Amino acid sequence: MDLKALYKINYGLYVISSRKKDKLNGQIANTLFQVTSEPPTIAVSINKKNLTHQFIEESRVFAASVLSENTPLKFIGRFGFKSGREIDKFTRVNYKIGKTGAPLVLENTLAYMEAEVIKKIDVGTHTIFIGKVVEVENIKEGIPMTYTYYHEVKRGKAPKAAPTYIKEETKKRGESMDKYRCTVCGYIYDPEKGDPDGGIKPGIPFKKLPDDWLCPICGASKEEFEKEG
């Protein structure tokens, strides 16, 4: 069974956020969709192990910020590969508190929506939260980032807690332009593409990257990378 066929299903990329009393948290998610139009309802799938899941369960509210196509990997990594149990993800991030009390990420965002949970469905490792939309706003024009664009152009990876995560096999290639994989988040440095967001032009081998270069997604050092194959 080739599970990669599931990659043909279209997804977006969003920051899903919630609150727990005076604490805030958010995470990257790709499984967000509209359920009904009258009344407007949306649903999101969240891993039970994630802190955001705990916050939504307690507060019964969540918000979703639609990310633009030019969102930097470092920003995605902050919400996708960092835990709210270890850092405050909203430090130095442009946001505001919405009607529900959930934080609304405004940075790299095209639009946001807030919802109050009206039903939840247990689907094993994840919970699908269905929420009645209580507020929406378009912030600016732009192209929403699709999950395909994130994978194929940005070369980003899915966290293990994501509903779309599939363990990939490494492939051997020539020694001249070896790819290196981040052992923390799975990001792959490809010398043929470089790291444009980090100022690394195409054609720079991994071993010639500056010693202080960090993974553009999770911030891991070069020592946390290993050669593919």
Side-chain angles (χ1 to χ4, degrees):
M1 183 166 62
D2 186 4
L3 293 177
K4 290 186 178 180
L6 296 175
Y7 286 159
K8 303 301 181 182
I9 300 174
N10 289 325
Y11 301 92
L13 211 64
Y14 316 92
V15 174
I16 304 300
S17 54
S18 190
R19 62 178 171 82
K20 181 179 179 182
K21 296 180 180 179
D22 59 342
K23 295 182 179 180
L24 310 176
N25 196 58
Q27 67 167 78
I28 293 294
N30 60 9
T31 312
L32 174 77
F33 55 97
Q34 183 174 348
V35 181
T36 63
S37 57
E38 291 294 337
T41 58
I42 56 176
V44 65
S45 179
I46 303 292
N47 192 292
K48 293 177 181 178
K49 295 181 180 179
N50 290 356
L51 188 62
T52 304
H53 184 283
Q54 179 183 327
F55 280 27
I56 296 175
E57 282 238 287
E58 180 165 318
S59 66
R60 308 291 294 177
V61 300
F62 66 89
S65 296
V66 182
L67 297 181
S68 68
E69 198 174 71
N70 58 2
T71 301
L73 280 176
K74 186 176 182 180
F75 183 86
I76 297 172
R78 181 178 187 83
F79 284 94
F81 291 92
K82 302 288 185 179
S83 172
R85 297 181 178 90
E86 301 170 356
I87 68 168
D88 179 357
K89 297 186 181 183
F90 288 88
T91 299
R92 298 187 298 277
V93 171
N94 184 18
Y95 74 96
K96 69 177 183 179
I97 300 300
K99 285 186 175 181
T100 62
L104 305 171
V105 175
L106 305 177
E107 195 171 336
N108 301 305
T109 295
L110 301 179
Y112 67 75
M113 54 209 73
E114 294 183 77
E116 296 175 343
V117 176
I118 56 176
K119 188 175 183 179
K120 65 177 184 177
I121 303 173
D122 188 325
V123 288
T125 58
H126 291 64
T127 297
I128 296 176
F129 293 102
I130 301 174
K132 178 182 178 181
V133 175
V134 297
E135 183 65 283
V136 293
E137 182 177 346
N138 283 304
I139 298 178
K140 61 181 179 181
E141 295 298 319
I143 301 174
M145 184 181 294
T146 65
Y147 210 46
T148 298
Y149 186 89
Y150 170 66
H151 274 286
E152 297 183 358
V153 180
K154 290 284 190 177
R155 304 189 314 285
K157 297 297 176 181
K160 290 183 179 180
T164 55
Y165 174 77
I166 298 175
K167 185 176 181 179
E168 298 181 359
E169 297 180 356
T170 57
K171 297 181 180 180
K172 294 183 178 180
R173 59 180 290 161
E175 289 290 330
S176 60
M177 295 292 274
D178 288 323
K179 292 181 180 180
Y180 279 74
R181 178 189 297 272
C182 176
T183 59
V184 177
C185 71
Y187 168 81
I188 295 177
Y189 176 77
D190 184 348
E192 294 182 358
K193 298 179 180 180
D195 173 21
D197 288 345
I200 305 299
K201 297 180 179 180
I204 305 297
F206 180 82
K207 293 182 179 180
K208 292 187 178 181
L209 291 174
D211 291 338
D212 60 353
W213 180 83
L214 301 176
C215 174
I217 291 184
C218 70
S221 65
K222 288 179 64 178
E223 287 72 22
E224 299 293 335
F225 280 71
E226 60 182 19
K227 185 169 67 173
E228 283 206 294

